[in-house]
Amino acid sequence: MSAVTGGSEVGDTFGARRAAAVPPGGRGATRIADRVVAKIAAQAAREAVGPLPPGAGRPHATVVVRPHAHSGSGGAGPVDAAHVHVHLELDYPSDLGARCRAVRRHVTERVGALAGMTVPEVAVQVERLHLAPDPDSVHGRTR
Protein backbone atom coordinates (compact mmCIF):
# COMPACT_ATOMS: atom_id res chain seq x y z
CA MET A 1 0.00 0.00 0.00
CA SER A 2 1.22 3.40 -0.78
CA ALA A 3 0.41 6.50 1.25
CA VAL A 4 -0.42 9.83 -0.36
CA THR A 5 1.28 12.69 1.45
CA GLY A 6 1.36 16.40 0.91
CA GLY A 7 -1.95 16.63 -0.96
CA SER A 8 -3.14 19.72 0.89
CA GLU A 9 0.27 21.38 0.79
CA VAL A 10 0.44 21.13 -3.00
CA GLY A 11 -3.05 22.63 -3.33
CA ASP A 12 -2.23 25.45 -0.90
CA THR A 13 0.99 26.31 -2.74
CA PHE A 14 -0.75 26.37 -6.12
CA GLY A 15 -3.58 28.55 -4.77
CA ALA A 16 -1.12 31.00 -3.21
CA ARG A 17 0.84 31.31 -6.48
CA ARG A 18 -2.36 31.85 -8.47
CA ALA A 19 -3.62 34.56 -6.06
CA ALA A 20 -0.25 36.31 -6.15
CA ALA A 21 -0.31 36.35 -9.96
CA VAL A 22 -3.56 38.37 -10.09
CA PRO A 23 -3.15 41.98 -8.96
CA PRO A 24 -5.58 43.15 -6.26
CA GLY A 25 -7.45 45.44 -8.66
CA GLY A 26 -8.16 42.54 -10.99
CA ARG A 27 -9.62 40.22 -8.36
CA GLY A 28 -12.99 41.99 -8.27
CA ALA A 29 -14.81 44.33 -5.99
CA THR A 30 -17.69 44.22 -3.55
CA ARG A 31 -20.63 46.48 -4.34
CA ILE A 32 -22.90 47.41 -1.44
CA ALA A 33 -26.45 48.34 -2.44
CA ASP A 34 -27.76 51.81 -1.67
CA ARG A 35 -30.61 50.41 0.42
CA VAL A 36 -28.15 48.50 2.63
CA VAL A 37 -26.20 51.69 3.26
CA ALA A 38 -29.53 53.46 3.98
CA LYS A 39 -30.35 50.83 6.62
CA ILE A 40 -26.94 51.28 8.21
CA ALA A 41 -27.43 55.07 8.25
CA ALA A 42 -30.95 54.81 9.73
CA GLN A 43 -29.72 52.50 12.48
CA ALA A 44 -26.84 54.87 13.23
CA ALA A 45 -29.30 57.77 13.43
CA ARG A 46 -31.46 55.79 15.89
CA GLU A 47 -28.37 55.12 18.01
CA ALA A 48 -27.35 58.79 17.99
CA VAL A 49 -30.79 60.27 18.72
CA GLY A 50 -31.41 58.16 21.79
CA PRO A 51 -34.91 57.64 23.17
CA LEU A 52 -37.61 58.93 20.87
CA PRO A 53 -40.58 60.98 22.04
CA PRO A 54 -43.88 59.11 22.41
CA GLY A 55 -45.65 58.77 19.07
CA ALA A 56 -42.56 59.64 17.01
CA GLY A 57 -41.69 57.71 13.88
CA ARG A 58 -38.37 55.94 13.66
CA PRO A 59 -35.56 57.75 11.81
CA HIS A 60 -35.16 56.75 8.19
CA ALA A 61 -32.54 57.55 5.59
CA THR A 62 -32.12 57.79 1.84
CA VAL A 63 -28.70 57.27 0.30
CA VAL A 64 -27.07 57.90 -3.05
CA VAL A 65 -23.78 56.07 -3.58
CA ARG A 66 -21.48 57.45 -6.25
CA PRO A 67 -17.92 56.65 -7.31
CA HIS A 68 -15.66 59.23 -5.72
CA ALA A 69 -12.01 59.94 -6.53
CA HIS A 70 -10.33 59.75 -3.15
CA SER A 71 -7.01 61.58 -2.89
CA GLY A 72 -5.69 59.18 -0.22
CA SER A 73 -6.14 56.06 -2.35
CA GLY A 74 -2.78 56.48 -4.08
CA GLY A 75 -4.30 56.36 -7.53
CA ALA A 76 -5.87 52.93 -6.88
CA GLY A 77 -9.13 54.07 -8.43
CA PRO A 78 -12.43 55.42 -7.25
CA VAL A 79 -13.82 54.81 -3.80
CA ASP A 80 -17.58 54.77 -3.22
CA ALA A 81 -18.97 57.83 -1.48
CA ALA A 82 -22.34 57.78 0.26
CA HIS A 83 -24.40 60.96 0.24
CA VAL A 84 -26.86 60.43 3.10
CA HIS A 85 -30.16 62.18 3.82
CA VAL A 86 -31.60 61.36 7.27
CA HIS A 87 -35.19 62.18 8.29
CA LEU A 88 -35.92 62.56 12.03
CA GLU A 89 -38.66 63.39 14.48
CA LEU A 90 -37.35 64.96 17.69
CA ASP A 91 -38.74 66.11 21.00
CA TYR A 92 -38.93 69.80 21.80
CA PRO A 93 -37.57 71.64 23.70
CA SER A 94 -34.12 70.15 23.30
CA ASP A 95 -30.82 71.19 21.79
CA LEU A 96 -31.70 70.42 18.17
CA GLY A 97 -28.35 71.55 16.76
CA ALA A 98 -26.36 69.29 19.08
CA ARG A 99 -28.60 66.31 18.34
CA CYS A 100 -28.28 66.85 14.57
CA ARG A 101 -24.48 67.14 14.90
CA ALA A 102 -24.42 63.89 16.86
CA VAL A 103 -26.47 62.20 14.13
CA ARG A 104 -24.13 63.49 11.39
CA ARG A 105 -21.03 62.36 13.24
CA HIS A 106 -22.37 58.91 14.17
CA VAL A 107 -23.78 58.20 10.69
CA THR A 108 -20.44 59.15 9.11
CA GLU A 109 -18.52 56.88 11.50
CA ARG A 110 -20.84 53.85 11.20
CA VAL A 111 -21.22 53.94 7.41
CA GLY A 112 -17.45 54.31 7.09
CA ALA A 113 -16.77 51.43 9.47
CA LEU A 114 -19.44 49.00 8.29
CA ALA A 115 -19.60 49.74 4.55
CA GLY A 116 -16.07 51.05 3.96
CA MET A 117 -17.34 54.19 2.24
CA THR A 118 -16.49 57.83 2.60
CA VAL A 119 -19.40 60.04 3.63
CA PRO A 120 -18.83 63.57 2.37
CA GLU A 121 -22.38 64.69 3.15
CA VAL A 122 -25.00 63.88 5.79
CA ALA A 123 -28.09 66.07 5.49
CA VAL A 124 -30.39 65.90 8.51
CA GLN A 125 -34.02 66.89 8.02
CA VAL A 126 -36.16 67.31 11.12
CA GLU A 127 -39.62 66.46 9.84
CA ARG A 128 -41.54 66.99 13.05
CA LEU A 129 -41.08 68.28 16.59
CA HIS A 130 -42.94 66.64 19.47
CA LEU A 131 -43.66 68.86 22.45
CA ALA A 132 -42.61 67.37 25.74
CA PRO A 133 -45.52 67.13 28.17
CA ASP A 134 -45.53 70.02 30.62
CA PRO A 135 -45.95 68.75 34.20
CA ASP A 136 -47.43 72.14 35.28
CA SER A 137 -50.16 72.00 32.68
CA VAL A 138 -53.49 70.73 34.02
CA HIS A 139 -55.18 70.32 30.65
CA GLY A 140 -52.09 69.53 28.57
CA ARG A 141 -52.61 72.64 26.46
CA THR A 142 -49.64 74.71 25.17
CA ARG A 143 -49.93 78.46 24.80
Side-chain angles (χ1 to χ4, degrees), residues 6-78:
S8 63
E9 293 174 9
V10 172
D12 291 343
T13 304
F14 178 71
R17 275 187 274 154
R18 186 174 46 180
V22 179
R27 291 184 200 150
T30 302
R31 171 88 168 98
I32 299 173
D34 293 3
R35 69 184 196 145
V36 173
V37 180
K39 287 183 180 186
I40 293 170
Q43 178 62 35
R46 281 191 288 276
E47 292 168 1
V49 167
L52 294 172
R58 296 176 69 171
H60 61 280
T62 55
V63 174
V64 177
V65 177
R66 299 184 189 121
H68 175 68
H70 186 54
S71 60
S73 64

Coordinates of all heavy atoms in Angstrom, one line a residue, residues 6-78:
G6 N 1.1 15.1 1.5 CA 1.4 16.4 0.9 C 0.3 16.9 0.0 O 0.5 17.8 -0.7
G7 N -0.9 16.2 0.0 CA -1.9 16.6 -1.0 C -2.4 18.0 -0.7 O -2.6 18.8 -1.6
S8 N -2.6 18.4 0.6 CA -3.1 19.7 0.9 C -2.1 20.8 0.7 O -2.3 21.9 0.4 CB -3.7 19.7 2.3 OG -2.6 19.5 3.2
E9 N -0.8 20.4 1.0 CA 0.3 21.4 0.8 C 0.4 21.8 -0.7 O 0.7 22.9 -1.0 CB 1.6 20.8 1.3 CG 1.6 20.6 2.8 CD 2.9 19.9 3.3 OE1 3.8 19.7 2.5 OE2 2.9 19.5 4.5
V10 N 0.3 20.8 -1.6 CA 0.4 21.1 -3.0 C -0.7 22.1 -3.4 O -0.5 23.0 -4.1 CB 0.4 19.8 -3.8 CG1 0.4 20.1 -5.3 CG2 1.7 19.0 -3.5
G11 N -1.9 21.8 -3.0 CA -3.1 22.6 -3.3 C -2.9 24.0 -2.8 O -3.2 25.0 -3.4
D12 N -2.4 24.1 -1.5 CA -2.2 25.4 -0.9 C -1.2 26.2 -1.6 O -1.3 27.4 -1.8 CB -1.8 25.3 0.6 CG -3.0 24.8 1.4 OD1 -4.1 24.8 0.9 OD2 -2.7 24.3 2.5
T13 N -0.1 25.6 -2.0 CA 1.0 26.3 -2.7 C 0.5 26.8 -4.1 O 0.8 27.9 -4.5 CB 2.2 25.4 -2.9 OG1 2.6 24.9 -1.6 CG2 3.3 26.1 -3.6
F14 N -0.2 26.0 -4.8 CA -0.7 26.4 -6.1 C -1.7 27.5 -6.0 O -1.7 28.5 -6.7 CB -1.4 25.2 -6.8 CG -2.0 25.5 -8.1 CD1 -1.2 25.8 -9.2 CD2 -3.4 25.6 -8.3 CE1 -1.8 26.2 -10.5 CE2 -3.9 26.0 -9.5 CZ -3.1 26.2 -10.6
G15 N -2.6 27.5 -5.0 CA -3.6 28.5 -4.8 C -2.9 29.9 -4.4 O -3.3 30.9 -4.8
A16 N -1.8 29.8 -3.6 CA -1.1 31.0 -3.2 C -0.4 31.6 -4.4 O -0.4 32.8 -4.6 CB -0.1 30.7 -2.1
R17 N 0.2 30.8 -5.3 CA 0.8 31.3 -6.5 C -0.2 31.9 -7.4 O 0.1 33.0 -8.0 CB 1.6 30.2 -7.2 CG 3.0 30.0 -6.7 CD 3.8 29.0 -7.5 NE 3.4 27.7 -7.0 CZ 3.4 26.6 -7.7 NH1 3.8 26.6 -9.0 NH2 3.1 25.4 -7.2
R18 N -1.3 31.3 -7.6 CA -2.4 31.8 -8.5 C -2.9 33.2 -8.0 O -3.1 34.1 -8.7 CB -3.5 30.9 -8.6 CG -4.5 31.3 -9.7 CD -5.5 30.3 -9.9 NE -6.0 29.7 -8.6 CZ -7.0 28.8 -8.5 NH1 -7.5 28.3 -9.6 NH2 -7.4 28.4 -7.3
A19 N -3.1 33.3 -6.6 CA -3.6 34.6 -6.1 C -2.6 35.7 -6.2 O -2.9 36.8 -6.4 CB -4.0 34.3 -4.6
A20 N -1.3 35.3 -6.0 CA -0.3 36.3 -6.1 C -0.1 36.8 -7.6 O 0.4 37.9 -7.8 CB 1.1 35.7 -5.6
A21 N -0.5 36.0 -8.6 CA -0.3 36.3 -10.0 C -1.4 37.4 -10.4 O -1.1 38.1 -11.3 CB -0.4 35.1 -10.8
V22 N -2.5 37.4 -9.7 CA -3.6 38.4 -10.1 C -3.4 39.6 -9.2 O -3.5 39.5 -8.0 CB -4.9 37.7 -9.9 CG1 -6.0 38.7 -10.3 CG2 -5.1 36.5 -10.8
P23 N -3.3 40.8 -9.8 CA -3.1 42.0 -9.0 C -4.5 42.2 -8.2 O -5.5 41.8 -8.7 CB -2.8 43.1 -10.0 CG -3.3 42.6 -11.3 CD -3.2 41.1 -11.2
P24 N -4.4 42.9 -7.1 CA -5.6 43.2 -6.3 C -6.7 43.8 -7.0 O -7.9 43.5 -6.8 CB -5.1 44.0 -5.1 CG -3.6 43.7 -5.0 CD -3.2 43.4 -6.4
G25 N -6.4 44.8 -7.9 CA -7.5 45.4 -8.7 C -8.2 44.5 -9.6 O -9.3 44.8 -10.0
G26 N -7.6 43.4 -10.0 CA -8.2 42.5 -11.0 C -8.9 41.4 -10.4 O -9.5 40.6 -11.1
R27 N -8.9 41.3 -9.0 CA -9.6 40.2 -8.4 C -11.1 40.5 -8.2 O -11.9 39.6 -7.8 CB -9.0 40.0 -7.0 CG -7.6 39.4 -7.1 CD -7.1 39.1 -5.7 NE -5.7 39.1 -5.8 CZ -4.8 39.4 -4.8 NH1 -5.3 39.8 -3.6 NH2 -3.5 39.3 -4.9
G28 N -11.6 41.7 -8.4 CA -13.0 42.0 -8.3 C -13.2 43.0 -7.2 O -12.3 43.4 -6.5
A29 N -14.4 43.4 -7.0 CA -14.8 44.3 -6.0 C -16.2 44.0 -5.4 O -17.0 43.3 -6.0 CB -14.9 45.7 -6.6
T30 N -16.4 44.4 -4.2 CA -17.7 44.2 -3.5 C -18.5 45.5 -3.7 O -18.0 46.6 -3.4 CB -17.5 43.9 -2.1 OG1 -16.7 42.8 -1.9 CG2 -18.8 43.7 -1.4
R31 N -19.7 45.3 -4.2 CA -20.6 46.5 -4.3 C -21.7 46.4 -3.3 O -22.4 45.4 -3.2 CB -21.2 46.4 -5.8 CG -22.3 47.4 -6.0 CD -21.8 48.8 -6.5 NE -22.8 49.6 -7.0 CZ -23.4 50.6 -6.2 NH1 -23.0 50.8 -5.0 NH2 -24.3 51.3 -6.7
I32 N -21.9 47.4 -2.5 CA -22.9 47.4 -1.4 C -24.1 48.2 -2.0 O -23.9 49.4 -2.4 CB -22.3 48.0 -0.1 CG1 -21.2 47.1 0.4 CG2 -23.4 48.1 0.9 CD1 -20.5 47.7 1.5
A33 N -25.2 47.7 -1.9 CA -26.4 48.3 -2.4 C -26.8 49.6 -1.6 O -26.5 49.7 -0.4 CB -27.6 47.4 -2.4
D34 N -27.4 50.6 -2.3 CA -27.8 51.8 -1.7 C -28.7 51.6 -0.5 O -28.6 52.2 0.5 CB -28.4 52.7 -2.7 CG -27.5 53.2 -3.8 OD1 -26.3 52.8 -3.8 OD2 -27.9 54.1 -4.6
R35 N -29.6 50.6 -0.7 CA -30.6 50.4 0.4 C -30.0 49.8 1.7 O -30.4 50.0 2.8 CB -31.8 49.6 -0.1 CG -31.4 48.2 -0.4 CD -32.6 47.4 -0.9 NE -32.3 46.0 -0.8 CZ -33.2 45.1 -0.6 NH1 -34.4 45.4 -0.5 NH2 -32.8 43.8 -0.5
V36 N -28.9 49.0 1.5 CA -28.2 48.5 2.6 C -27.5 49.6 3.4 O -27.5 49.7 4.6 CB -27.1 47.4 2.2 CG1 -26.3 47.0 3.3 CG2 -27.9 46.2 1.6
V37 N -26.8 50.5 2.6 CA -26.2 51.7 3.3 C -27.2 52.6 4.0 O -27.0 53.1 5.0 CB -25.4 52.5 2.2 CG1 -24.7 53.7 2.9 CG2 -24.4 51.6 1.6
A38 N -28.4 52.7 3.4 CA -29.5 53.5 4.0 C -30.0 52.8 5.3 O -30.2 53.5 6.3 CB -30.7 53.6 3.0
K39 N -30.0 51.5 5.4 CA -30.4 50.8 6.6 C -29.3 51.0 7.7 O -29.6 51.2 8.9 CB -30.6 49.3 6.4 CG -31.9 49.1 5.6 CD -32.1 47.6 5.5 CE -33.4 47.3 4.7 NZ -33.7 45.9 4.7
I40 N -28.0 51.0 7.3 CA -26.9 51.3 8.2 C -27.1 52.7 8.7 O -26.9 53.0 9.9 CB -25.6 51.1 7.5 CG1 -25.4 49.6 7.2 CG2 -24.4 51.6 8.4 CD1 -24.2 49.3 6.3
A41 N -27.3 53.7 7.9 CA -27.4 55.1 8.2 C -28.6 55.3 9.2 O -28.5 56.0 10.2 CB -27.5 56.0 7.0
A42 N -29.8 54.7 8.9 CA -30.9 54.8 9.7 C -30.7 54.2 11.1 O -31.1 54.8 12.1 CB -32.1 54.1 9.1
Q43 N -30.0 53.1 11.2 CA -29.7 52.5 12.5 C -28.8 53.4 13.3 O -28.9 53.6 14.5 CB -29.1 51.1 12.3 CG -28.7 50.4 13.6 CD -29.9 50.2 14.6 OE1 -31.0 49.9 14.1 NE2 -29.6 50.3 15.9
A44 N -27.8 54.0 12.6 CA -26.8 54.9 13.2 C -27.6 56.1 13.7 O -27.3 56.6 14.8 CB -25.7 55.3 12.3
A45 N -28.5 56.6 13.0 CA -29.3 57.8 13.4 C -30.1 57.4 14.7 O -30.2 58.2 15.6 CB -30.2 58.3 12.3
R46 N -30.7 56.2 14.7 CA -31.5 55.8 15.9 C -30.5 55.7 17.1 O -30.9 56.1 18.2 CB -32.1 54.4 15.7 CG -33.4 54.5 14.8 CD -34.1 53.2 14.8 NE -33.5 52.1 14.1 CZ -33.6 52.0 12.8 NH1 -34.4 52.8 12.1 NH2 -33.0 51.0 12.1
E47 N -29.3 55.2 16.9 CA -28.4 55.1 18.0 C -28.0 56.5 18.5 O -27.8 56.7 19.7 CB -27.1 54.4 17.6 CG -27.3 52.9 17.3 CD -26.2 52.3 16.6 OE1 -25.1 52.9 16.3 OE2 -26.3 51.1 16.2
A48 N -27.8 57.5 17.6 CA -27.3 58.8 18.0 C -28.4 59.6 18.6 O -28.2 60.4 19.5 CB -26.8 59.5 16.8
V49 N -29.7 59.4 18.2 CA -30.8 60.3 18.7 C -31.1 59.9 20.1 O -31.5 60.7 21.0 CB -32.0 60.1 17.8 CG1 -33.3 60.7 18.5 CG2 -31.8 60.8 16.5
G50 N -31.0 58.6 20.5 CA -31.4 58.2 21.8 C -32.9 57.9 21.8 O -33.5 57.6 20.8
P51 N -33.5 58.0 23.0 CA -34.9 57.6 23.2 C -35.8 58.6 22.4 O -35.5 59.8 22.4 CB -35.2 57.7 24.7 CG -34.0 58.4 25.3 CD -32.9 58.3 24.3
L52 N -36.7 58.1 21.7 CA -37.6 58.9 20.9 C -38.8 59.4 21.7 O -39.2 58.7 22.6 CB -38.1 58.1 19.7 CG -37.1 57.7 18.6 CD1 -37.7 56.8 17.6 CD2 -36.5 59.0 18.0
P53 N -39.4 60.5 21.3 CA -40.6 61.0 22.0 C -41.8 60.0 21.8 O -41.8 59.4 20.7 CB -40.8 62.4 21.5 CG -40.0 62.5 20.2 CD -38.9 61.5 20.3
P54 N -42.7 60.0 22.6 CA -43.9 59.1 22.4 C -44.6 59.5 21.1 O -44.8 60.7 20.8 CB -44.8 59.4 23.6 CG -43.9 60.0 24.6 CD -42.8 60.7 23.9
G55 N -44.9 58.5 20.3 CA -45.6 58.8 19.1 C -44.8 59.2 17.9 O -45.3 59.4 16.8
A56 N -43.5 59.2 18.1 CA -42.6 59.6 17.0 C -42.3 58.5 16.1 O -42.1 57.3 16.6 CB -41.3 60.2 17.6
G57 N -42.1 58.7 14.8 CA -41.7 57.7 13.9 C -40.2 57.5 14.0 O -39.4 58.3 14.5
R58 N -39.8 56.3 13.6 CA -38.4 55.9 13.7 C -37.6 56.7 12.6 O -38.1 56.9 11.5 CB -38.2 54.5 13.5 CG -38.9 53.7 14.6 CD -38.8 52.2 14.3 NE -37.4 51.8 14.5 CZ -37.0 50.6 14.4 NH1 -37.8 49.6 14.3 NH2 -35.7 50.3 14.6
P59 N -36.4 57.1 12.8 CA -35.6 57.8 11.8 C -35.4 56.9 10.6 O -35.3 55.6 10.7 CB -34.2 58.0 12.5 CG -34.5 57.9 13.9 CD -35.6 57.0 14.1
H60 N -35.4 57.5 9.4 CA -35.2 56.7 8.2 C -34.2 57.6 7.3 O -34.0 58.8 7.5 CB -36.4 56.4 7.5 CG -37.3 57.5 7.0 ND1 -38.1 58.2 7.9 CD2 -37.4 58.2 5.8 CE1 -38.7 59.2 7.2 NE2 -38.3 59.2 6.0
A61 N -33.6 56.9 6.4 CA -32.5 57.6 5.6 C -32.7 57.2 4.1 O -33.2 56.1 3.8 CB -31.2 57.2 6.1
T62 N -32.3 58.1 3.3 CA -32.1 57.8 1.8 C -30.7 58.0 1.5 O -30.0 58.9 2.1 CB -33.0 58.7 1.0 OG1 -32.8 60.1 1.3 CG2 -34.5 58.4 1.2
V63 N -30.1 57.2 0.6 CA -28.7 57.3 0.3 C -28.5 57.2 -1.2 O -29.2 56.5 -1.9 CB -28.0 56.1 1.0 CG1 -26.5 56.0 0.5 CG2 -28.1 56.2 2.5
V64 N -27.5 58.0 -1.7 CA -27.1 57.9 -3.0 C -25.6 57.6 -3.0 O -24.8 58.3 -2.4 CB -27.3 59.2 -3.8 CG1 -26.8 59.1 -5.2 CG2 -28.8 59.6 -3.9
V65 N -25.2 56.5 -3.6 CA -23.8 56.1 -3.6 C -23.2 56.3 -5.0 O -23.8 55.9 -6.0 CB -23.6 54.6 -3.2 CG1 -22.2 54.2 -3.3 CG2 -24.2 54.3 -1.8
R66 N -22.1 57.1 -5.0 CA -21.5 57.5 -6.2 C -20.0 57.1 -6.2 O -19.4 57.2 -5.1 CB -21.6 59.0 -6.5 CG -23.0 59.4 -6.6 CD -23.0 60.9 -7.0 NE -24.3 61.4 -6.9 CZ -24.7 62.4 -6.1 NH1 -23.8 63.0 -5.4 NH2 -26.0 62.8 -6.1
P67 N -19.4 56.8 -7.3 CA -17.9 56.7 -7.3 C -17.3 58.0 -7.0 O -17.8 59.0 -7.4 CB -17.6 56.2 -8.7 CG -18.9 55.8 -9.3 CD -20.0 56.5 -8.6
H68 N -16.3 58.0 -6.2 CA -15.7 59.2 -5.7 C -14.2 59.1 -5.8 O -13.6 58.1 -5.3 CB -16.1 59.5 -4.3 CG -15.5 60.6 -3.6 ND1 -15.7 61.9 -4.0 CD2 -14.6 60.7 -2.6 CE1 -15.0 62.7 -3.2 NE2 -14.4 62.0 -2.3
A69 N -13.5 60.0 -6.5 CA -12.0 59.9 -6.5 C -11.5 60.4 -5.2 O -11.7 61.5 -4.8 CB -11.5 60.8 -7.6
H70 N -10.8 59.5 -4.5 CA -10.3 59.7 -3.1 C -8.8 60.0 -3.3 O -8.1 59.2 -3.8 CB -10.6 58.5 -2.3 CG -10.2 58.7 -0.8 ND1 -10.7 59.8 -0.1 CD2 -9.4 58.0 0.0 CE1 -10.2 59.7 1.1 NE2 -9.5 58.6 1.2
S71 N -8.4 61.2 -2.7 CA -7.0 61.6 -2.9 C -6.1 60.7 -2.1 O -4.9 60.5 -2.5 CB -6.8 63.0 -2.4 OG -7.2 63.2 -1.1
G72 N -6.5 60.0 -1.0 CA -5.7 59.2 -0.2 C -5.6 57.8 -0.7 O -4.9 56.9 -0.1
S73 N -6.2 57.4 -1.9 CA -6.1 56.1 -2.4 C -4.9 55.7 -3.1 O -4.7 54.6 -3.6 CB -7.4 55.8 -3.2 OG -7.3 56.6 -4.4
G74 N -4.0 56.7 -3.4 CA -2.8 56.5 -4.1 C -3.0 56.1 -5.5 O -2.2 55.4 -6.1
G75 N -4.1 56.6 -6.1 CA -4.3 56.4 -7.5 C -4.9 55.0 -7.8 O -4.8 54.5 -8.9
A76 N -5.4 54.3 -6.7 CA -5.9 52.9 -6.9 C -7.2 52.9 -7.5 O -7.8 51.9 -7.7 CB -5.9 52.3 -5.5
G77 N -7.8 54.0 -7.8 CA -9.1 54.1 -8.4 C -10.2 54.7 -7.5 O -9.9 55.2 -6.4
P78 N -11.4 54.7 -8.0 CA -12.4 55.4 -7.2 C -12.9 54.6 -6.0 O -12.8 53.4 -6.0 CB -13.6 55.5 -8.2 CG -13.4 54.4 -9.2 CD -11.9 54.2 -9.3

